[in-house]
Amino acid sequence: MSDSQDPRQNRLLAALPDDEYTRLVPQLELVSLSLGDVLYEPGIQMHHVYFPTDSIVSLMCVMENGAAAEIAVVGNEGIIGVSLFMGGETTPSRAVVQSAGYAYRLAGDRLKEEFDRVGGRRSGAVHDLLLRYTQALLTQMAQTAVCNRHHTLDQQLCRWLLLSLDRLPVQELLMTQELIANMLGVRREGVTEAAGNLQKAGLIEYRRGHITVLDRVGLEARSCECYAVVRDEFRRLLPEGGEPQPD
Amino acid sequence: MSDSQDPRQNRLLAALPDDEYTRLVPQLELVSLSLGDVLYEPGIQMHHVYFPTDSIVSLMCVMENGAAAEIAVVGNEGIIGVSLFMGGETTPSRAVVQSAGYAYRLAGDRLKEEFDRVGGRRSGAVHDLLLRYTQALLTQMAQTAVCNRHHTLDQQLCRWLLLSLDRLPVQELLMTQELIANMLGVRREGVTEAAGNLQKAGLIEYRRGHITVLDRVGLEARSCECYAVVRDEFRRLLPEGGEPQPD
DNA sequence: TCCGATATGTGCGGCAGCGAACACACACCC
DNA sequence: GGGTGTGTGTTCGCTGCCGCACATATCGGA
């Protein structure tokens, strides 16, 4: 996994001009993230932002009674901890590692410094890039909201699989149905049924915590439009678009 | 309504330091917004941002089949058109006037100018304020997503009424059940039933497009926690908190 | 004052997802 | 290679909301 050891595996970092990038690199710290690790708790002061390379992190909204739902997913296209540069310092949501891997982390005040830097000639590449990412994040949340309202579990599962897949270098997810249910905020049995449908349709293969995607195009067809909306908006707002999809 | 003719009825404008404010004021244009007016369509280039004074605007996410859902509501605490300073220029959502009234509008490039201004001594008050507002907006969207997932229509109606009420100078809404249903992305009949429940409970009074809130505290008790989460986050992030509530 | 448009109330069958309880089956470890 | 824990499949009745169809009430203008 020497690939994950290159900060520029993260597409935000990769999109920075060389001078900004070289200024930041020495401050980046490679960290290994395990499934279930919690990067942020609601209301707790954050100290770092994270740039995933081959890990995936879910932003979850947790309610008083413990019920929860994923509101966005962040992989190598993004950053965890936008509130550190947005000015709020904390958020009411939780960040949980959904797929183990690596990320580079950076002290919040270091990022802020770079974010606020106007620079002699160049006008804040870090600043502009992070704001564009944040707008993409807004879109993802908005789409999640409307998706929760209108779409069936089958469709949402497809969307979720695709969004995760786009953020991984492989076509396989290590993920139990229980965990997926937690992310989507539904019953585990519901996921069992939906996943069974997809398997019967020959779109995925399931074996005890391993999901392999067999027919990506079929998944997209079965997914609600929310996946495409989010993907396209990321492509529009961020360099190199939503994903370096092979096909 | 001479009150609505004061830009500082809008709490973002009110929160600006005097020099920024006086620089902006001459550029502000008072506009009257009627129920149903559309300020932005998905993907269309925006030219202005809007600072509501006594109007309310809903941000809607509209799907291919026409189904829609509100993802956030903006009143005198906020601004419509964050993508103009976030860098995206457009959004995939629609902005619809939910409650008629006034707003001040400002050319996008003028706002951007002020947003990017670093200023001699002061470090971008406009910049920081708008980013904090945007973070609050993020929270509102996130909470909408989880609310759509987990809460009953009764609870959501309460939340919606309270959020709208906080953004109005009066305790009465001009709003048909049909429109509310559109906002929430549910059936009109469902709203009829939920509103009937609230009326039976003595919390509101309903008469053909007019909703009067009789027992605000009761509404809050019946609402899901989402209302309080959003309100508190606005209070935390923005000067003077979520609302100048009388009680 | 009456009419018509518009808003609201109500009743049906249907379905997706919930919550609980249980049977099975695979993987891994000793 | 046999157990044990943890994933997965399946069943039940129940509820909340949908989609449709229609009855009634209210407002505002001619």
PDB file of all heavy atoms in Angstrom, chain A residues 7 10 19 34-35 39 42 46 89 95-96 110 119-120 129 145 151 176 183 185 196 206 212 216 225 231:
ATOM      1  N   PRO A   7       0.519  11.706  -0.147  1.00  0.00           N
ATOM      2  CA  PRO A   7      -0.580  12.626   0.191  1.00  0.00           C
ATOM      3  C   PRO A   7      -1.422  12.976  -1.026  1.00  0.00           C
ATOM      4  O   PRO A   7      -2.615  13.238  -0.900  1.00  0.00           O
ATOM      5  CB  PRO A   7       0.146  13.855   0.719  1.00  0.00           C
ATOM      6  CG  PRO A   7       1.444  13.344   1.236  1.00  0.00           C
ATOM      7  CD  PRO A   7       1.810  12.194   0.350  1.00  0.00           C
ATOM      8  N   ASN A  10      -4.874  11.884  -2.103  1.00  0.00           N
ATOM      9  CA  ASN A  10      -6.051  12.694  -1.780  1.00  0.00           C
ATOM     10  C   ASN A  10      -6.196  13.785  -2.832  1.00  0.00           C
ATOM     11  O   ASN A  10      -5.272  14.548  -3.084  1.00  0.00           O
ATOM     12  CB  ASN A  10      -5.920  13.319  -0.393  1.00  0.00           C
ATOM     13  CG  ASN A  10      -7.134  14.153  -0.052  1.00  0.00           C
ATOM     14  OD1 ASN A  10      -7.240  15.297  -0.488  1.00  0.00           O
ATOM     15  ND2 ASN A  10      -8.057  13.583   0.697  1.00  0.00           N
ATOM     16  N   ASP A  19       3.402  25.315  -4.739  1.00  0.00           N
ATOM     17  CA  ASP A  19       3.961  26.037  -3.588  1.00  0.00           C
ATOM     18  C   ASP A  19       3.112  25.830  -2.327  1.00  0.00           C
ATOM     19  O   ASP A  19       3.641  25.599  -1.253  1.00  0.00           O
ATOM     20  CB  ASP A  19       4.166  27.529  -3.905  1.00  0.00           C
ATOM     21  CG  ASP A  19       2.914  28.168  -4.478  1.00  0.00           C
ATOM     22  OD1 ASP A  19       1.994  27.412  -4.847  1.00  0.00           O
ATOM     23  OD2 ASP A  19       2.859  29.408  -4.559  1.00  0.00           O
ATOM     24  N   SER A  34      -8.993   2.734  11.487  1.00  0.00           N
ATOM     25  CA  SER A  34      -9.624   1.409  11.535  1.00  0.00           C
ATOM     26  C   SER A  34     -11.130   1.554  11.487  1.00  0.00           C
ATOM     27  O   SER A  34     -11.689   2.561  11.935  1.00  0.00           O
ATOM     28  CB  SER A  34      -9.237   0.681  12.817  1.00  0.00           C
ATOM     29  OG  SER A  34      -7.844   0.609  12.929  1.00  0.00           O
ATOM     30  N   LEU A  35     -11.756   0.517  10.983  1.00  0.00           N
ATOM     31  CA  LEU A  35     -13.213   0.492  10.912  1.00  0.00           C
ATOM     32  C   LEU A  35     -13.821   0.847  12.262  1.00  0.00           C
ATOM     33  O   LEU A  35     -13.466   0.257  13.276  1.00  0.00           O
ATOM     34  CB  LEU A  35     -13.660  -0.915  10.504  1.00  0.00           C
ATOM     35  CG  LEU A  35     -15.142  -1.123  10.285  1.00  0.00           C
ATOM     36  CD1 LEU A  35     -15.626  -0.302   9.110  1.00  0.00           C
ATOM     37  CD2 LEU A  35     -15.460  -2.589  10.067  1.00  0.00           C
ATOM     38  N   LEU A  39     -13.653   9.988  14.505  1.00  0.00           N
ATOM     39  CA  LEU A  39     -12.738  11.123  14.381  1.00  0.00           C
ATOM     40  C   LEU A  39     -13.261  12.350  15.119  1.00  0.00           C
ATOM     41  O   LEU A  39     -12.485  13.125  15.656  1.00  0.00           O
ATOM     42  CB  LEU A  39     -12.521  11.466  12.899  1.00  0.00           C
ATOM     43  CG  LEU A  39     -11.981  10.333  12.028  1.00  0.00           C
ATOM     44  CD1 LEU A  39     -11.663  10.834  10.633  1.00  0.00           C
ATOM     45  CD2 LEU A  39     -10.747   9.709  12.658  1.00  0.00           C
ATOM     46  N   PRO A  42     -19.983  14.914  18.222  1.00  0.00           N
ATOM     47  CA  PRO A  42     -20.752  16.158  18.166  1.00  0.00           C
ATOM     48  C   PRO A  42     -20.370  17.119  19.292  1.00  0.00           C
ATOM     49  O   PRO A  42     -20.297  16.712  20.445  1.00  0.00           O
ATOM     50  CB  PRO A  42     -22.197  15.682  18.355  1.00  0.00           C
ATOM     51  CG  PRO A  42     -22.199  14.265  17.935  1.00  0.00           C
ATOM     52  CD  PRO A  42     -20.835  13.733  18.198  1.00  0.00           C
ATOM     53  N   MET A  46     -12.567  20.110  17.751  1.00  0.00           N
ATOM     54  CA  MET A  46     -11.693  19.331  16.874  1.00  0.00           C
ATOM     55  C   MET A  46     -10.306  19.962  16.869  1.00  0.00           C
ATOM     56  O   MET A  46     -10.160  21.164  17.009  1.00  0.00           O
ATOM     57  CB  MET A  46     -12.238  19.385  15.459  1.00  0.00           C
ATOM     58  CG  MET A  46     -13.716  19.086  15.382  1.00  0.00           C
ATOM     59  SD  MET A  46     -14.326  19.469  13.726  1.00  0.00           S
ATOM     60  CE  MET A  46     -15.925  18.659  13.790  1.00  0.00           C
ATOM     61  N   GLU A  89     -15.780  25.603  14.512  1.00  0.00           N
ATOM     62  CA  GLU A  89     -14.956  24.797  15.428  1.00  0.00           C
ATOM     63  C   GLU A  89     -15.555  23.410  15.723  1.00  0.00           C
ATOM     64  O   GLU A  89     -14.836  22.434  15.787  1.00  0.00           O
ATOM     65  CB  GLU A  89     -14.709  25.529  16.768  1.00  0.00           C
ATOM     66  CG  GLU A  89     -14.078  26.907  16.595  1.00  0.00           C
ATOM     67  CD  GLU A  89     -12.684  26.839  15.956  1.00  0.00           C
ATOM     68  OE1 GLU A  89     -11.982  25.858  16.162  1.00  0.00           O
ATOM     69  OE2 GLU A  89     -12.330  27.797  15.220  1.00  0.00           O
ATOM     70  N   ALA A  95     -18.120  11.820  13.028  1.00  0.00           N
ATOM     71  CA  ALA A  95     -17.396  11.279  11.882  1.00  0.00           C
ATOM     72  C   ALA A  95     -16.869   9.892  12.241  1.00  0.00           C
ATOM     73  O   ALA A  95     -16.109   9.742  13.187  1.00  0.00           O
ATOM     74  CB  ALA A  95     -16.246  12.198  11.492  1.00  0.00           C
ATOM     75  N   VAL A  96     -17.304   8.875  11.484  1.00  0.00           N
ATOM     76  CA  VAL A  96     -16.951   7.486  11.782  1.00  0.00           C
ATOM     77  C   VAL A  96     -16.278   6.854  10.574  1.00  0.00           C
ATOM     78  O   VAL A  96     -16.723   7.040   9.442  1.00  0.00           O
ATOM     79  CB  VAL A  96     -18.218   6.661  12.106  1.00  0.00           C
ATOM     80  CG1 VAL A  96     -17.836   5.272  12.608  1.00  0.00           C
ATOM     81  CG2 VAL A  96     -19.087   7.368  13.107  1.00  0.00           C
ATOM     82  N   ARG A 110      -3.021  25.075  11.697  1.00  0.00           N
ATOM     83  CA  ARG A 110      -2.141  25.146  10.521  1.00  0.00           C
ATOM     84  C   ARG A 110      -2.970  25.301   9.247  1.00  0.00           C
ATOM     85  O   ARG A 110      -2.647  26.075   8.355  1.00  0.00           O
ATOM     86  CB  ARG A 110      -1.269  23.887  10.442  1.00  0.00           C
ATOM     87  CG  ARG A 110      -0.008  23.936  11.273  1.00  0.00           C
ATOM     88  CD  ARG A 110       0.902  25.073  10.862  1.00  0.00           C
ATOM     89  NE  ARG A 110       1.383  24.903   9.486  1.00  0.00           N
ATOM     90  CZ  ARG A 110       1.115  25.734   8.501  1.00  0.00           C
ATOM     91  NH1 ARG A 110       0.393  26.824   8.733  1.00  0.00           N
ATOM     92  NH2 ARG A 110       1.580  25.514   7.298  1.00  0.00           N
ATOM     93  N   GLY A 119      -1.616  35.501   0.250  1.00  0.00           N
ATOM     94  CA  GLY A 119      -0.461  35.322  -0.627  1.00  0.00           C
ATOM     95  C   GLY A 119      -0.184  36.545  -1.465  1.00  0.00           C
ATOM     96  O   GLY A 119      -1.079  37.356  -1.717  1.00  0.00           O
ATOM     97  N   GLY A 120       1.028  36.690  -1.858  1.00  0.00           N
ATOM     98  CA  GLY A 120       1.418  37.862  -2.631  1.00  0.00           C
ATOM     99  C   GLY A 120       0.651  37.935  -3.928  1.00  0.00           C
ATOM    100  O   GLY A 120      -0.199  38.802  -4.118  1.00  0.00           O
ATOM    101  N   LEU A 129     -10.332  26.203  -2.941  1.00  0.00           N
ATOM    102  CA  LEU A 129     -10.561  24.771  -3.121  1.00  0.00           C
ATOM    103  C   LEU A 129     -11.432  24.209  -2.000  1.00  0.00           C
ATOM    104  O   LEU A 129     -12.388  23.465  -2.251  1.00  0.00           O
ATOM    105  CB  LEU A 129      -9.211  24.051  -3.153  1.00  0.00           C
ATOM    106  CG  LEU A 129      -9.254  22.574  -3.514  1.00  0.00           C
ATOM    107  CD1 LEU A 129      -9.741  22.397  -4.941  1.00  0.00           C
ATOM    108  CD2 LEU A 129      -7.881  21.936  -3.329  1.00  0.00           C
ATOM    109  N   ALA A 145     -30.972  14.234   2.065  1.00  0.00           N
ATOM    110  CA  ALA A 145     -32.243  14.574   2.687  1.00  0.00           C
ATOM    111  C   ALA A 145     -33.412  14.184   1.792  1.00  0.00           C
ATOM    112  O   ALA A 145     -34.354  13.520   2.229  1.00  0.00           O
ATOM    113  CB  ALA A 145     -32.296  16.072   2.988  1.00  0.00           C
ATOM    114  N   HIS A 151     -37.026   7.911  -1.673  1.00  0.00           N
ATOM    115  CA  HIS A 151     -36.585   6.709  -2.383  1.00  0.00           C
ATOM    116  C   HIS A 151     -36.651   5.445  -1.544  1.00  0.00           C
ATOM    117  O   HIS A 151     -36.564   5.492  -0.326  1.00  0.00           O
ATOM    118  CB  HIS A 151     -35.187   6.938  -2.949  1.00  0.00           C
ATOM    119  CG  HIS A 151     -35.165   8.036  -3.973  1.00  0.00           C
ATOM    120  ND1 HIS A 151     -34.174   8.956  -4.080  1.00  0.00           N
ATOM    121  CD2 HIS A 151     -36.078   8.364  -4.916  1.00  0.00           C
ATOM    122  CE1 HIS A 151     -34.450   9.804  -5.053  1.00  0.00           C
ATOM    123  NE2 HIS A 151     -35.607   9.475  -5.564  1.00  0.00           N
ATOM    124  N   THR A 176     -20.461  -5.227   6.825  1.00  0.00           N
ATOM    125  CA  THR A 176     -21.595  -6.087   7.161  1.00  0.00           C
ATOM    126  C   THR A 176     -22.903  -5.357   6.890  1.00  0.00           C
ATOM    127  O   THR A 176     -22.941  -4.130   6.826  1.00  0.00           O
ATOM    128  CB  THR A 176     -21.571  -6.484   8.643  1.00  0.00           C
ATOM    129  OG1 THR A 176     -21.807  -5.314   9.418  1.00  0.00           O
ATOM    130  CG2 THR A 176     -20.253  -7.097   9.026  1.00  0.00           C
ATOM    131  N   MET A 183     -25.589   2.961   8.848  1.00  0.00           N
ATOM    132  CA  MET A 183     -25.287   4.143   8.049  1.00  0.00           C
ATOM    133  C   MET A 183     -26.563   4.724   7.458  1.00  0.00           C
ATOM    134  O   MET A 183     -26.807   5.924   7.523  1.00  0.00           O
ATOM    135  CB  MET A 183     -24.356   3.777   6.882  1.00  0.00           C
ATOM    136  CG  MET A 183     -23.043   3.186   7.298  1.00  0.00           C
ATOM    137  SD  MET A 183     -21.954   4.432   7.991  1.00  0.00           S
ATOM    138  CE  MET A 183     -20.552   3.409   8.435  1.00  0.00           C
ATOM    139  N   GLY A 185     -29.499   4.267   8.410  1.00  0.00           N
ATOM    140  CA  GLY A 185     -30.534   4.554   9.397  1.00  0.00           C
ATOM    141  C   GLY A 185     -31.768   3.698   9.220  1.00  0.00           C
ATOM    142  O   GLY A 185     -32.885   4.159   9.445  1.00  0.00           O
ATOM    143  N   GLY A 196     -30.255  -8.890  -0.915  1.00  0.00           N
ATOM    144  CA  GLY A 196     -30.669 -10.130  -1.564  1.00  0.00           C
ATOM    145  C   GLY A 196     -31.215  -9.871  -2.953  1.00  0.00           C
ATOM    146  O   GLY A 196     -30.894 -10.586  -3.907  1.00  0.00           O
ATOM    147  N   TYR A 206     -22.386 -11.386  -2.395  1.00  0.00           N
ATOM    148  CA  TYR A 206     -22.323 -11.130  -0.975  1.00  0.00           C
ATOM    149  C   TYR A 206     -21.759 -12.339  -0.265  1.00  0.00           C
ATOM    150  O   TYR A 206     -22.207 -13.445  -0.480  1.00  0.00           O
ATOM    151  CB  TYR A 206     -23.757 -10.886  -0.467  1.00  0.00           C
ATOM    152  CG  TYR A 206     -23.815  -9.794   0.531  1.00  0.00           C
ATOM    153  CD1 TYR A 206     -24.417  -8.589   0.230  1.00  0.00           C
ATOM    154  CD2 TYR A 206     -23.229  -9.957   1.779  1.00  0.00           C
ATOM    155  CE1 TYR A 206     -24.439  -7.575   1.145  1.00  0.00           C
ATOM    156  CE2 TYR A 206     -23.233  -8.944   2.696  1.00  0.00           C
ATOM    157  CZ  TYR A 206     -23.843  -7.746   2.383  1.00  0.00           C
ATOM    158  OH  TYR A 206     -23.840  -6.724   3.291  1.00  0.00           O
ATOM    159  N   THR A 212     -18.923  -7.702  -3.254  1.00  0.00           N
ATOM    160  CA  THR A 212     -18.206  -7.491  -4.508  1.00  0.00           C
ATOM    161  C   THR A 212     -19.198  -7.020  -5.558  1.00  0.00           C
ATOM    162  O   THR A 212     -20.259  -7.622  -5.731  1.00  0.00           O
ATOM    163  CB  THR A 212     -17.553  -8.794  -5.000  1.00  0.00           C
ATOM    164  OG1 THR A 212     -16.818  -9.372  -3.920  1.00  0.00           O
ATOM    165  CG2 THR A 212     -16.626  -8.516  -6.167  1.00  0.00           C
ATOM    166  N   ARG A 216     -21.469  -2.869 -12.294  1.00  0.00           N
ATOM    167  CA  ARG A 216     -21.541  -1.482 -11.841  1.00  0.00           C
ATOM    168  C   ARG A 216     -22.603  -0.690 -12.596  1.00  0.00           C
ATOM    169  O   ARG A 216     -23.349   0.095 -12.019  1.00  0.00           O
ATOM    170  CB  ARG A 216     -20.175  -0.819 -12.048  1.00  0.00           C
ATOM    171  CG  ARG A 216     -20.034   0.426 -11.253  1.00  0.00           C
ATOM    172  CD  ARG A 216     -18.987   1.330 -11.840  1.00  0.00           C
ATOM    173  NE  ARG A 216     -19.381   2.662 -11.477  1.00  0.00           N
ATOM    174  CZ  ARG A 216     -19.017   3.239 -10.335  1.00  0.00           C
ATOM    175  NH1 ARG A 216     -18.240   2.634  -9.500  1.00  0.00           N
ATOM    176  NH2 ARG A 216     -19.452   4.454 -10.050  1.00  0.00           N
ATOM    177  N   GLU A 225     -31.595   8.707  -8.805  1.00  0.00           N
ATOM    178  CA  GLU A 225     -30.799   9.736  -9.463  1.00  0.00           C
ATOM    179  C   GLU A 225     -29.836  10.440  -8.511  1.00  0.00           C
ATOM    180  O   GLU A 225     -28.902  11.110  -8.963  1.00  0.00           O
ATOM    181  CB  GLU A 225     -31.740  10.771 -10.070  1.00  0.00           C
ATOM    182  CG  GLU A 225     -32.513  11.558  -9.009  1.00  0.00           C
ATOM    183  CD  GLU A 225     -33.763  12.218  -9.550  1.00  0.00           C
ATOM    184  OE1 GLU A 225     -34.774  11.504  -9.652  1.00  0.00           O
ATOM    185  OE2 GLU A 225     -33.730  13.411  -9.853  1.00  0.00           O
ATOM    186  N   ARG A 231     -22.466  12.864  -7.767  1.00  0.00           N
ATOM    187  CA  ARG A 231     -21.243  12.624  -8.532  1.00  0.00           C
ATOM    188  C   ARG A 231     -20.970  13.780  -9.499  1.00  0.00           C
ATOM    189  O   ARG A 231     -19.860  14.324  -9.553  1.00  0.00           O
ATOM    190  CB  ARG A 231     -21.386  11.317  -9.315  1.00  0.00           C
ATOM    191  CG  ARG A 231     -20.151  10.947 -10.124  1.00  0.00           C
ATOM    192  CD  ARG A 231     -20.507   9.926 -11.177  1.00  0.00           C
ATOM    193  NE  ARG A 231     -21.595  10.422 -12.032  1.00  0.00           N
ATOM    194  CZ  ARG A 231     -22.339   9.659 -12.823  1.00  0.00           C
ATOM    195  NH1 ARG A 231     -22.154   8.355 -12.839  1.00  0.00           N
ATOM    196  NH2 ARG A 231     -23.295  10.193 -13.564  1.00  0.00           N
TER     197      ARG A 231
END
